[in-house]
């Protein structure tokens, strides 16, 4: 033993490992010698207790011998694997025992695979296991699209985010105010995926109409009525108006009459069956905001005026070109008479814009000239010139409307002259003043009719009359 240990210092690592194996064989030899000696001693004078202790010692030595043998066998296998690569070290991955082996290396168990071969990654499972039918996975490399039947391709529109909703919906509503076609709005909404925010379309449309004209509010009421059942539900409308009732304190900053207008919207929507009939009952005794209470009271008053729920078509008045011509003429006469009394051009301009009949502004010019011809004094002449000049500069009355108004007076002047004998003289002076203030063009001034004057020449000419 001492000779081998002294020589192991000069040997390489593999030689040292072989020396350890030799030492173990020597130990086994010593154990065999001790076992033979013990047999002889057993045959001698031993007591039964000593014999039992000796047999237990022999069994323990046999177990140790078995463990040494199994460890030597595994060491030999690892050496045989690393023999092909002389530069590999025992600590390298090539020098380790194969990790794919599922058998236990602790000397425990029966050496069978874990879970009977049914566990782990990439295994088939236990024998006799029945699997259910699985749907084909489109990511499977063996997926065959043609064998899966008819393939349907659909365009998926992502849901519109809340921050982009107003930017997308506002142009649609403003364009609708121009053409008034509810079907086009329905088609545009079908192309958008509003998702959970679809009720906000109604609130945005109402908010935009509050800042617009009465005709815009009428168009909005029609739009809300047509959209129910075609993209929006009554509950969506209820959510939209509930949101607007909460936002009334902010809406009043831009539109002071917002509570009354919103109440009219609610009454019209209930009458058109766009809102549930019990919408007002939901807020009884539950409203703390003064403005929201005013809007709900306004709606309740309008609905109580009709015992039966009918369409409140005139809640916004009759808009623009839908008004009778006689009504428009009457409104324009009132406008001109109020201006002669107050002299406020801005109020007259606002009233003319509220009529929303830009194609009928020639009637205002016609009525203004008639008032000048029928008036007494120069006050009406100067004020009407001032009014027409203000309308001309702001572009409220166009060149075409101005020309048509004066030409109508020119063509009816013979009939007007029957009631106003001096109409020609007054008209000539009014037209010259309008031309000086750049209200009419030179061509329009030159076409103004003038009354032919007859004069008699001297008696020597034979009493002939010359024009």
């Amino acid at each position: 033993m001492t000779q081998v240990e002294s020589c192991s210092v000069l040997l390489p690592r593999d030689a040292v490992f072989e020396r350890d194996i030799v030492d173990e064989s020597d130990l086994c030899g010593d154990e065999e010698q001790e076992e033979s000696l013990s047999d002889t001693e057993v045959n001698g004078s031993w007591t039964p207790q000593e014999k039992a202790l000796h047999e237990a010692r022999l069994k323990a030595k046999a177990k140790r011998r078995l463990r040494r043998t199994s460890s030597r066998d595994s060491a030999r296998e690892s050496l045989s694997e690393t023999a092909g690569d002389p530069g590999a070290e025992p600590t390298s991955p090539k020098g380790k025992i194969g990790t794919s082996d599922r058998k236990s290396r602790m000397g425990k168990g029966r050496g069978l695979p874990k879970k009977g071969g049914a566990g782990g990654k990439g295994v088939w499972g236990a024998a006799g296991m029945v699997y259910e039918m699985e749907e084909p996975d489109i990511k499977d490399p063996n997926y065959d699209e043609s064998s899966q039947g008819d393939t349907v391709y659909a365009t998926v529109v992502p849901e519109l985010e809340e921050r982009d909703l107003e930017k997308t919906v506002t142009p649609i509503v403003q364009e609708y105010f121009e053409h008034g076609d509810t079907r086009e709005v329905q088609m545009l909404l079908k192309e958008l995926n509003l998702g959970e925010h679809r009720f906000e379309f109604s609130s945005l449309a109402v908010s935009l109409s509050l800042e617009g004209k009465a005709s815009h509010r009428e168009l909005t009421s029609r739009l809300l009525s047509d959209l129910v059942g075609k993209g929006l539900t009554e509950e969506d409308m209820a959510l939209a108006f509930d949101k607007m009732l909460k936002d009334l304190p902010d809406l009043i900053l831009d539109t002071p009459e917002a509570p009354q207008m919103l109440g009219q919207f609610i009454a019209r929507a209930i009458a058109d069956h766009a809102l549930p009939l019990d919408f007002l009952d939901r807020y009884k005794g539950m409203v703390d905001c003064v403005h929201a209470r005013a809007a709900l009271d306004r709606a309740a008053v309008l609905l109580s005026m009709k015992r039966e729920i009918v369409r409140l078509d005139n809640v916004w008045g009759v808009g623009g070109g839908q008004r009778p011509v006689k009504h428009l003429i009457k409104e324009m006469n009132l406008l001109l008479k109020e201006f002669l009394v107050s002299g406020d051009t801005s109020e007259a301009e606002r009233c003319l814009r509220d009529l929303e009949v830009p194609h009928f502004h020639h009637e205002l010019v016609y009525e203004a000239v008639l008032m000048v011809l029928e008036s007494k004094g120069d006050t009406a002449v100067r004020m009407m010139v001032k009014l027409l000049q203000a309308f001309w500069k702001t572009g409220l009355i166009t060149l075409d409307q101005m020309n048509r108004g004066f030409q109508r007076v020119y063509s009816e002047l013979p009939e007007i002259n029957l009631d106003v004998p001096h109409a020609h003289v007054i008209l000539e002076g009014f037209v010259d003043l309008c031309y000086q203030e750049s209200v009419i063009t030179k061509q329009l001034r030159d076409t103004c009719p003038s009354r032919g004057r007859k004069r008699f020449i001297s008696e020597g000419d034979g009493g002939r009359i010359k024009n």
Side-chain angles (χ1 to χ4, degrees):
M1 293 289 294
T2 55
Q3 292 179 1
V4 176
E5 290 176 355
S6 61
C7 295
S8 61
V9 180
L10 303 176
L11 294 178
R13 185 177 299 175
D14 296 340
V16 174
F17 190 78
E18 291 177 357
R19 187 261 304 170
D20 294 337
I21 296 175
V22 175
D23 293 343
E24 290 179 357
S25 62
D26 293 341
L27 292 173
C28 294
D30 295 340
E31 290 178 357
E32 292 176 356
Q33 291 176 4
E34 292 178 359
E35 185 178 353
S36 61
L37 292 174
S38 62
D39 293 338
T40 57
E41 293 178 354
V42 170
N43 295 330
S45 57
W46 275 18
T47 62
Q49 291 81 3
E50 292 177 348
K51 288 181 180 180
L53 181 61
H54 179 67
E55 290 176 0
R57 191 177 299 167
L58 291 178
K59 290 180 181 180
K61 289 182 180 180
K63 289 183 179 180
R64 288 198 298 271
R65 187 182 302 115
L66 179 61
R67 284 199 294 270
R68 293 194 192 99
T69 305
S70 60
S71 62
R72 283 200 300 270
D73 293 339
S74 60
R76 290 193 187 96
E77 290 177 1
S78 61
L79 288 175
S80 61
E81 291 178 358
T82 56
D85 188 5
E89 296 181 1
T91 57
S92 64
K94 292 184 179 180
K96 293 182 179 179
I97 301 173
T99 56
S100 61
D101 187 7
R102 293 176 181 269
K103 295 181 180 180
S104 176
R105 298 173 184 82
M106 301 299 295
K108 298 179 181 180
R110 298 176 295 169
L112 298 178
K114 296 179 180 179
K115 298 182 181 179
K121 184 178 179 181
V123 297
W124 288 95
M129 183 180 292
V130 179
Y131 295 95
E132 296 180 356
M133 190 64 182
E134 295 183 1
E135 293 293 332
D137 187 5
I138 194 172
K139 297 181 180 180
D140 189 352
N142 297 324
Y143 178 80
D144 187 6
E145 183 178 357
S146 60
S147 63
Q148 305 304 325
D150 297 335
T151 304
V152 180
Y153 296 95
T155 302
V156 179
V157 180
E159 183 176 346
L160 193 64
E161 297 182 2
E162 186 176 3
R163 61 185 180 185
D164 299 331
L165 182 65
E166 183 176 358
K167 184 169 59 177
T168 306
V169 169
T170 300
I172 297 176
V173 177
Q174 290 177 346
E175 187 178 353
Y176 167 70
F177 290 158
E178 299 295 332
H179 57 71
D181 189 359
T182 58
R183 289 176 297 179
E184 184 174 348
V185 178
Q186 294 174 12
M187 294 175 59
L188 293 174
L189 290 181
K190 288 181 180 179
E191 298 176 359
L192 298 176
N193 185 8
L194 298 180
E196 299 178 354
H197 306 291
R198 61 180 179 272
F199 72 92
E200 295 189 15
F201 173 81
S202 303
S203 60
L204 283 173
V206 174
S207 299
L208 291 173
S209 65
L210 292 179
E211 301 174 0
K213 307 174 184 177
S215 60
H216 294 170
R217 293 187 280 276
E218 174 66 23
L219 290 172
T220 304
S221 295
R222 294 182 184 178
L223 179 63
L224 298 182
S225 177
D226 292 345
L227 286 180
V228 173
K230 300 177 182 178
L232 296 177
T233 62
E234 291 185 1
E235 291 301 325
D236 292 334
M237 292 294 178
L239 289 175
F241 280 102
D242 182 69
K243 180 177 182 296
M244 295 202 66
L245 287 172
K246 295 178 181 177
D247 295 341
L248 267 179
D250 297 331
L251 294 175
I252 289 178
L253 299 178
D254 298 327
T255 309
E257 300 177 354
Q260 289 74 23
M261 291 182 181
L262 186 59
Q264 294 176 356
F265 266 114
I266 293 174
R268 176 68 178 271
I270 293 176
D272 293 345
H273 302 286
L275 276 176
L277 296 178
D278 61 342
F279 181 77
L280 295 179
D281 297 336
R282 301 178 183 179
Y283 293 93
K284 284 186 177 179
M286 300 177 61
V287 180
D288 297 331
C289 180
V290 178
H291 307 298
R293 192 182 301 113
L296 295 173
D297 292 342
R298 174 64 174 169
V301 169
L302 291 175
L303 292 174
S304 63
M305 293 171 62
K306 303 287 183 178
R307 292 187 178 180
E308 298 179 358
I309 300 296
V310 295
R311 294 180 63 90
L312 301 175
D313 291 332
N314 296 328
V315 70
W316 303 115
V318 182
Q322 298 178 356
R323 300 183 183 184
V325 175
K326 292 182 179 180
H327 177 75
L328 292 174
I329 294 174
K330 183 179 179 180
E331 291 291 334
M332 289 183 178
N333 277 320
L334 290 175
L335 185 154
L336 293 173
K337 290 178 181 179
E338 289 179 1
F339 173 73
L340 290 177
V341 175
S342 63
D344 190 356
T345 56
S346 60
E347 179 66 17
E349 180 180 350
R350 186 190 65 81
C351 293
L352 185 59
R353 291 183 185 275
D354 291 342
L355 292 177
E356 301 180 25
V357 283
H359 59 283
F360 201 61
H361 285 175
H362 60 85
E363 181 67 25
L364 179 73
V365 179
Y366 174 79
E367 296 293 338
V369 178
L370 284 184
M371 283 191 178
V372 170
L373 297 179
E374 296 174 356
S375 63
K376 297 179 181 180
D378 298 335
T379 305
V381 175
R382 288 185 282 101
M383 294 190 69
M384 287 302 174
V385 171
K386 176 184 176 183
L387 180 64
L388 293 178
Q389 184 182 21
F391 287 164
W392 170 259
K393 288 182 178 180
T394 57
L396 191 58
I397 297 181
T398 61
L399 177 63
D400 178 64
Q401 297 293 320
M402 189 74 73
N403 291 339
R404 287 182 61 183
F406 275 93
Q407 288 171 359
R408 286 180 58 191
V409 177
Y410 292 171
S411 61
E412 298 179 8
L413 191 58
E415 299 178 1
I416 298 173
N417 195 35
L418 298 177
D419 298 329
V420 185
H422 301 287
H424 284 85
V425 179
I426 299 174
L427 181 61
E428 288 179 0
F430 181 71
V431 168
D432 290 340
L433 187 59
C434 288
Y435 175 72
Q436 292 175 6
E437 298 294 335
S438 301
V439 177
I440 61 175
T441 60
K442 183 177 183 299
Q443 183 180 2
L444 184 61
R445 185 201 65 174
D446 295 339
T447 56
C448 177
S450 59
R451 184 177 182 180
R453 293 179 298 170
K454 296 181 180 180
R455 66 181 183 88
F456 292 91
I457 59 175
S458 62
E459 297 178 355
D461 294 337
R464 293 176 297 174
I465 299 177
K466 293 185 178 180
N467 293 329

